């Protein structure tokens, strides 16, 4: 929804004053997807991993386009996408638990990472290799 609605509205607003160049969203960058693959491979070798397809935890998405994207992400990364509802702030809710390490698809700590317990649930920008890859890619942009 952010990519289809919010970002175009923000770009339209700023185009009234200056040129705006839009790029594909981060999740579509092949280099980012490959970096996620490497991170998942490392998770798969960590203690408690099921040596299968580590879960990629994401906010629930709807629609054909979202399904295609998640299918592509699974194919490229070797992980399995798992919709993980976490947008309702409710302190009484128990922590989310997974039997094996999982990779939350969030750049920074949020309600999802706050609710994950007992696994390596570090946000993406707190993972050194992913942070370095992203900073290098952003610095290379025109």
């Amino acid at each position: 929804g952010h990519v289809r609605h919010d970002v175009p509205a923000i770009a339209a607003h700023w185009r009234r004053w200056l040129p705006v160049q839009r790029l594909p969203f981060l999740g579509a960058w092949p280099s980012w997807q490959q970096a996620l693959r490497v991170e998942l491979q490392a998770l798969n070798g960590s203690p408690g991993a099921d040596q299968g397809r580590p879960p990629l935890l994401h906010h629930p998405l709807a629609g054909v386009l979202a399904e295609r994207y998640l299918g592509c992400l699974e194919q490229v990364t070797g992980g399995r996408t798992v919709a993980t509802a976490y947008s309702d702030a409710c302190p009484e809710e128990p922590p989310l638990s997974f039997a094996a390490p999982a990779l939350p698809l969030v750049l920074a700590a949020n309600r999802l990472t706050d609710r994950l317990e007992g696994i390596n649930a570090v946000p993406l920008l707190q993972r050194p290799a992913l942070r370095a890859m992203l900073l290098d890619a952003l610095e290379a942009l025109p």
Side-chain angles (χ1 to χ4, degrees), residues 53-123:
R53 295 174 57 212
L56 288 160
L57 309 179
H58 64 87
H59 186 75
L61 302 172
V64 175
L65 185 59
E67 288 177 27
R68 274 193 7 224
Y69 169 69
L70 294 173
C72 175
L73 196 58
E74 285 183 342
Q75 186 177 23
V76 170
T77 65
R80 63 184 164 85
T81 57
V82 178
T84 312
Y86 59 91
S87 45
D88 296 321
C90 181
E92 297 83 36
E93 288 183 21
L96 297 168
S97 62
F98 288 84
L103 188 62
L105 291 177
V106 300
L107 291 176
N110 66 10
R111 288 183 218 144
L112 173 60
T113 56
D114 291 347
R115 290 193 55 219
L116 289 169
E117 190 173 84
I119 63 169
N120 182 8
V122 178

Side-chain angles (χ1 to χ4, degrees), residues 12 15 17 21 36 45 48 50 58 69 77 83-85 101 106 108 121 129 137 141:
R15 277 198 181 100
W17 293 282
Q21 179 183 3
L36 290 174
D50 63 7
H58 64 87
Y69 169 69
T77 65
T84 312
V106 300
L141 290 175

